[in-house]
Amino acid sequence: MVSGRFGNSAQGTTQTYTYILYTSGFIHHTTLTGLAPNTRYFYRVGDVATGFSQEFSFMSHPGVGPTMSYTFGVVGDLGQTTYSNNTIWHMVANSSIQSIIHPGDLSYADGDQTRWDSWGRLAQPLAATKPWMVAAGNHEVESWFSQEFTAYNARFQMPSVNPYKNASGNLFYSFEVGPVHVLVLCTYYNFTQGSPQYEFAMNDLKSISRARTPWVVSLVHAPWYNSNEVHQGEGDAMMAVFEDAFYGNVDIVFAGHVHAYERCYQTYKAQRDPKAPLYITIGDGGNREGLYDTWIDPQPVWSAFRQAAYGHGVLQVTGTTATWTWHTIDTDEPVASDQITLTKSA
Ligand code: FE
Ligand code: MN
């Protein structure tokens, strides 16, 4: 497609929401269909009556298949500090990143809805150019004087085409891209046995074809394996419900919540196990609450690497390998500080 030539258009919906004394600006959502795969599209947002935004561009979905390669940027607990800004621009600068997966805690608006607006402006250089798939963390709940997840559900439309969409908004969903199936769950919405989220997750895991997507990644907010002294045990209830179902079925679980980085070994029931998911906590995007640098000593047998520093991760997947790198903010350069490769036979 060509810059400055807008031959196609898509009609969207427009909404606002209110939160105590705040009324949001217009929030527009539209779904683009019939795009050619892996093609750069130039676009602008608006209409003739009110005017148009500047031009942006994005690459369309490349398709799904076991021999494809795909690269995610991974960020958690981002916020809107100078560290957050560094993290965002490091991901913008890495042209190998095709989309962002974000296991919760986005703006840290914490009830001040104007902070969702400022976060949108901060995130725009990345959000306008790459798909950004979000999970809801505790900072998305915002239940004071309001319905839970009001801003989150108004501002982010994730592909929750599951039969529970009306009950849950965007809180749990799945999608596939390249050789990867991604299952997104919410730590702060009912996940007990028999709940809509539980039924969705179990059915989703059953529906996965490893011949089509050899890799399965899941996002949750509170980590199930965490050797930081902060937020101990907050993922335990969810782990008790899902750990058996994930065993042998999920390759990597990303969490945030703990404002530090921790990579665990593949772990099942607190023991290293090569059939179990690899657990990674990436809650170090840069939010205003700061880093958590107190670790449980001695380091548990399932914990491989842990460090309290700001940064983001890159997950580069082929049909047979998944390479994970963690990039800390060091002066103005992203520095690869941890790396691991998982392999599976073709
Ligand atoms: Fe957080
Ligand atoms: Mn959190």
Side-chain angles (χ1 to χ4, degrees):
M1 304 296 136
V2 183
S3 171
R5 299 259 289 275
F6 306 105
N8 301 299
S9 67
Q11 195 77 30
T13 59
T14 298
Q15 67 179 110
T16 61
Y17 74 93
T18 59
Y19 188 101
I20 318 179
L21 297 176
Y22 170 91
T23 300
S24 75
F26 293 117
I27 299 168
H28 309 283
H29 295 286
T30 189
T31 303
L32 306 182
T33 56
L35 301 183
N38 218 24
T39 301
R40 182 162 298 280
Y41 282 88
F42 296 88
Y43 72 99
R44 56 184 184 168
V45 182
D47 59 29
V48 174
T50 53
F52 289 94
S53 71
Q54 70 184 91
E55 179 187 285
F56 299 102
S57 75
F58 67 93
M59 291 294 289
S60 58
H61 190 289
V64 179
T67 60
M68 297 179 70
S69 299
Y70 195 79
T71 302
F72 295 101
V74 188
V75 66
D77 300 69
L78 182 55
Q80 44 191 307
T81 67
T82 52
Y83 302 111
S84 323
N85 192 47
N86 258 346
T87 298
I88 287 167
W89 281 98
H90 287 160
M91 289 192 288
V92 169
N94 182 346
S95 62
S96 75
I97 292 176
Q98 291 169 276
S99 68
I100 311 302
I101 49 178
H102 185 156
D105 282 1
L106 281 57
S107 75
Y108 290 75
D110 300 330
D112 178 352
Q113 298 300 304
T114 63
R115 293 177 57 79
W116 278 110
D117 299 329
S118 56
W119 187 78
R121 288 189 286 274
L122 185 79
Q124 179 170 292
L126 187 60
T129 57
K130 295 180 202 285
W132 191 329
M133 309 305 284
V134 291
N138 54 305
H139 287 271
E140 276 64 66
V141 181
E142 296 189 305
S143 57
W144 313 283
F145 311 107
S146 184
Q147 275 216 297
E148 294 186 342
F149 305 106
T150 296
Y152 177 80
N153 280 332
R155 289 171 186 270
F156 304 97
Q157 280 196 354
M158 294 294 115
S160 28
V161 290
N162 66 72
Y164 315 109
K165 182 177 169 84
N166 289 337
S168 65
N170 301 303
L171 301 180
F172 49 89
Y173 60 93
S174 68
F175 64 96
E176 294 186 334
V177 63
V180 189
H181 182 101
V182 182
L183 169 61
V184 179
L185 297 178
C186 182
T187 307
Y188 305 96
Y189 191 78
N190 188 1
F191 51 74
T192 54
Q193 210 163 356
S195 66
Q197 179 165 213
Y198 176 87
E199 295 297 333
F200 167 73
M202 291 302 167
N203 288 331
D204 191 69
L205 289 170
K206 262 185 243 150
S207 78
I208 297 168
S209 161
R210 292 294 188 124
R212 176 180 159 88
T213 55
W215 297 96
V216 180
V217 168
S218 187
L219 310 184
V220 298
H221 187 60
W224 300 356
Y225 286 98
N226 164 32
S227 74
N228 197 293
E229 287 183 1
V230 177
H231 295 316
Q232 264 307 309
E234 292 182 27
D236 286 1
M238 195 176 212
M239 177 163 69
V241 169
F242 290 111
E243 188 173 25
D244 282 339
F246 275 32
Y247 182 77
N249 293 317
V250 175
D251 298 290
I252 304 175
V253 177
F254 289 108
H257 201 40
V258 174
H259 298 164
Y261 172 74
E262 182 166 23
R263 174 172 57 82
C264 300
Y265 295 104
Q266 289 168 283
T267 300
Y268 177 68
K269 304 252 189 253
Q271 297 298 322
R272 291 175 60 174
D273 185 324
K275 287 199 206 112
L278 179 77
Y279 289 92
I280 292 169
T281 301
I282 184 85
D284 59 342
N287 71 76
R288 63 181 177 172
E289 293 177 346
L291 293 166
Y292 304 154
D293 61 357
T294 50
W295 299 98
I296 288 172
D297 193 31
Q299 187 169 14
V301 293
W302 41 259
S303 175
F305 182 96
R306 51 192 192 172
Q307 187 179 331
Y310 293 114
H312 72 279
V314 176
L315 180 66
Q316 190 182 2
V317 188
T318 71
T320 53
T321 62
T323 300
W324 165 254
T325 48
W326 177 54
H327 302 261
T328 50
I329 290 171
D330 185 16
T331 62
D332 261 347
E333 298 296 316
V335 177
S337 298
D338 184 41
Q339 175 163 359
I340 188 170
T341 298
L342 298 180
T343 58
K344 54 180 71 191
S345 44

